[in-house]
Amino acid sequence: MKFIAVLALCSLVSTAPVGASIPFFSDKDETPTLAPMLEEVTPAVVNISVKGKREVRQRVPDMFRYFFGQNGPREQVQERPFQGLGSGVIIDADNGYVVTNNHVIDDATEIVVTLKDGRQFDAKVLGTDDRSDIALLKIENGSNLTEIEIGSSDALRVGDFVVAIGNPFGLGQTVTSGIVSALDRSGLGIEEVENFIQTDAAINSGNSGGALVTLKGELIGINTAILGPTGGNIGIGFAIPSDMMKALVQQLVEFGEVRRGVLGVRGNDLTHEIAQALDLDVNQGAFIAEVIPEGAAAEAGLKSGDVIIAVDGRPIRTFADLGARVGSIGAGKEIELTVLRDGKERDFEVTLSEMETAVTAEELHPALSGATLAVDEGGGVVIAELEENSIAARYGLRQEDVILAVNRQPVNNLTELRQALDNAGNVIALNIRRGNSSLYLVLRGN
C-alpha cells in the first residue's frame, strides 16, 4: 500500500542575488561543485523546534460507559504534550519573516528558530493556511539575518537540477540534490490545495518547510511531503511552488490570513473524449461543466462548455491546476482567463469573489447545532467540525459529511444553504455525501 508521509523540509532566501556570478567549479582544480552557491544560501535556511499540547481522543470501552449511564461519552479527550522538528526559510531579513509548513508549527505554544551559525531565536506565528500547508513566522529580536532570493516556479522545466536543504531526522542542516521530476502534481490527498513540484532530491522527515532551490540559489519550492511505503525517501518528494507560496504569504502579511478568491465554476479535466466531442485541437485544460449563478465567472460571461486553458497567460493543464492557481490569488483580484469557446480562443477579465468562511451551523438552523460548516471545493457545504453529543450529531451527521441539497434544492455555498433552510418546512431532508456514498438525513424544523 502506498504511504504518503508529511515531512519537515527547509527553504532558503538570500539578501543579494546569487545568480550566474556564482562559480560552479572549485578555485583550486576546477572540480565541479555547488559549494559556492550553498555558502551563499544555506544561512537563510533554519531549523525549527516546537513544543505544545494536542488533544488526543480515545474511545471509552462500553464497560466503563455504564458508569455514566446510557448517554455516557463514547470518547475521552486528553491534552498531551508534544515536541517536533522541522525546517524553514528566511524570506525577509529586515522583518525576520520565515516561511515553513503549517503542519510543522500546528498547535505549537513554543517555537524556536536555530540558524546555521548556531544562534537561536524565539518566533511567533503571523498567519497560517492549513489548506495549502503554509505558515509565516516572525523571528523576534533577530539580527544579522540572511534572506534568500525567491525565483519563479513557473519558469521550471522537467529535468532542471534542484537542491533540497533542510533538517532531516533532526540531524542538522543537510543538502541533497536531484532534478524536477514532474510539475503540477495534484489529486494526491496531501493538502486541499495541491499543485506540487515533484523531485527526486532526497527528502525525509524533518525536511518539511525547507527549501528547494535552483543551481543559482533561487528558492523555487517549499519541501512538504514524500511518497514512500515506510515513510522514508524513495525519490518521490513534493514541494509547494514558490509562486503559490509568495501569493499566499503576501495575504498573510497583509491580513493575517488567506482570503481566497473564488471563480464560481465546477468541472473536470479536459479529457481526450471531451476534446473530440467539442472538436478541439487541445487535450489539456479545465472543462467547465457548471457556472455558479451570480459568481465571478458568471459575471464575467463564462459559460458551461467553455475550456479554460490559461490564467494570466500561464497554461492550465487540469481542473485541479485551475483550482490551485485561483486558490492562491486573493479575493477581489482581477485575473485574465484564456478560454476556448466553439473552437476559438477568447480572453475574459474576471474579478474573483471572496470565499465564504466557516460558520457555526446553529446560526442557520437549531437542528444543526454543534456543527461548523464551510464551503466544499467539490461542491456543497462540508461539516468541518462537529461537537460530540451535539444536536447535529444526534441526528446522525458526521464530520466531513457534505450537504448537497435541502429538500431536493441544491446548495453550493453557505448563502444557498441559508436560503434553502429558511424556505424549508417542519421536515428537513438533507442530501448528504459521505465518502463515496450518498444518503438522506431527516431533521425536524423549528
Side-chain angles (χ1 to χ4, degrees):
M1 184 179 86
K2 289 185 178 180
F3 173 78
I4 291 191
V6 178
L7 311 171
L9 317 173
C10 83
S11 63
L12 341 157
V13 204
S14 137
T15 44
V18 288
S21 61
I22 292 181
F24 293 97
F25 296 92
S26 169
D27 292 336
K28 296 180 179 180
D29 55 8
E30 294 193 352
T31 303
T33 177
L34 295 177
M37 179 272 287
L38 292 170
E39 288 167 359
E40 293 282 341
V41 300
T42 50
V45 181
V46 302
N47 295 345
I48 297 175
S49 58
V50 300
K51 294 181 181 179
K53 291 183 178 181
R54 285 198 178 112
E55 287 188 351
V56 178
R57 297 179 177 271
Q58 293 181 319
R59 181 175 177 81
V60 177
D62 289 340
M63 60 181 293
F64 292 113
R65 291 182 61 219
Y66 291 134
F67 288 106
F68 303 97
Q70 292 182 345
N71 294 322
R74 295 179 178 274
E75 290 183 327
Q76 184 180 28
V77 180
Q78 295 180 331
E79 277 196 342
R80 292 185 179 177
F82 73 91
Q83 297 182 359
L85 295 172
S87 307
V89 183
I90 302 174
I91 61 168
D92 186 326
D94 292 336
N95 290 302
Y97 291 162
V98 176
V99 172
T100 185
N101 286 137
N102 177 65
H103 75 259
V104 171
I105 53 87
D106 194 26
D107 294 327
T109 55
E110 290 183 43
I111 303 174
V112 176
V113 169
T114 303
L115 306 186
K116 183 184 178 183
D117 61 15
R119 288 182 294 157
Q120 292 188 331
F121 299 98
D122 292 332
K124 65 178 181 179
V125 178
L126 291 184
T128 65
D129 181 46
D130 59 351
R131 300 183 67 189
S132 63
D133 202 12
I134 283 291
L136 179 65
L137 310 180
K138 180 178 175 61
I139 293 175
E140 298 186 314
N141 303 316
S143 61
N144 298 321
L145 303 177
T146 300
E147 67 184 42
I148 197 170
E149 181 178 0
I150 301 176
S152 175
S153 52
D154 271 352
L156 285 177
R157 299 177 300 172
V158 173
D160 284 348
F161 287 103
V162 288
V163 176
I165 311 172
N167 180 28
F169 302 110
L171 291 172
Q173 193 173 92
T174 300
V175 177
T176 58
S177 65
I179 63 169
V180 173
S181 305
L183 297 168
D184 304 319
R185 286 295 195 210
S186 60
L188 303 173
I190 303 172
E191 311 298 343
E192 288 186 49
V193 180
E194 297 181 342
N195 193 28
F196 291 120
I197 301 165
Q198 181 180 326
T199 179
D200 65 350
I203 292 172
N204 288 286
S205 181
N207 277 123
S208 293
L212 191 68
V213 303
T214 66
L215 296 187
K216 293 182 178 181
E218 296 174 338
L219 177 70
I220 45 83
I222 301 296
N223 299 322
T224 298
I226 60 171
L227 183 69
T230 61
N233 173 64
I234 59 169
I236 303 177
F238 302 101
I240 298 168
S242 60
D243 289 323
M244 176 188 290
M245 177 275 292
K246 189 161 52 175
L248 295 170
V249 165
Q250 287 173 351
Q251 296 180 61
L252 292 176
V253 170
E254 186 174 357
F255 307 115
E257 63 180 359
V258 172
R259 298 181 178 178
R260 274 193 171 76
V262 178
L263 185 57
V265 297
R266 291 199 184 91
N268 44 48
D269 299 346
L270 177 66
T271 63
H272 179 69
E273 290 77 13
I274 294 176
Q276 278 190 321
L278 298 178
D279 194 24
L280 300 177
D281 293 331
V282 298
N283 288 294
Q284 289 185 327
F287 176 74
I288 299 178
E290 180 184 359
V291 177
I292 307 303
E294 300 181 4
E299 294 288 338
L302 272 74
K303 300 178 180 179
S304 58
D306 287 346
V307 178
I308 300 174
I309 59 172
V311 174
D312 291 333
R314 295 152 56 184
I316 292 295
R317 297 174 176 82
T318 65
F319 198 83
D321 188 8
L322 173 66
R325 298 282 178 108
V326 172
S328 60
I329 300 173
K333 297 292 180 64
E334 189 175 272
I335 61 173
E336 182 180 77
L337 298 181
T338 303
V339 172
L340 285 179
R341 180 181 292 177
D342 299 326
K344 298 180 180 179
E345 286 191 15
R346 297 183 57 180
D347 292 328
F348 291 84
E349 299 292 334
V350 182
T351 301
L352 299 176
S353 54
E354 186 170 357
M355 178 176 286
E356 296 169 281
T357 56
V359 301
T360 302
E362 189 175 6
E363 300 172 17
L364 305 183
H365 198 281
L368 297 177
S369 177
T372 299
L373 307 175
V375 176
D376 185 73
E377 286 192 344
V381 176
V382 64
I383 310 293
E385 296 180 13
L386 185 64
E387 295 178 11
E388 186 180 358
N389 293 325
S390 63
I391 294 175
R394 290 177 204 156
Y395 273 117
L397 285 167
R398 297 180 186 174
Q399 189 169 337
E400 298 185 2
D401 280 354
V402 179
I403 302 173
L404 302 175
V406 176
N407 291 358
R408 297 191 177 182
Q409 179 180 340
V411 294
N412 301 308
N413 51 51
L414 295 170
T415 300
E416 292 183 6
L417 177 61
R418 187 189 302 272
Q419 292 173 345
L421 290 171
D422 288 344
N423 297 331
N426 288 328
V427 177
I428 301 172
L430 299 181
N431 180 203
I432 300 291
R433 183 175 70 235
R434 180 174 292 166
N436 296 321
S437 302
S438 179
L439 64 148
Y440 276 90
L441 291 180
V442 178
L443 286 65
R444 294 191 178 276
N446 292 313

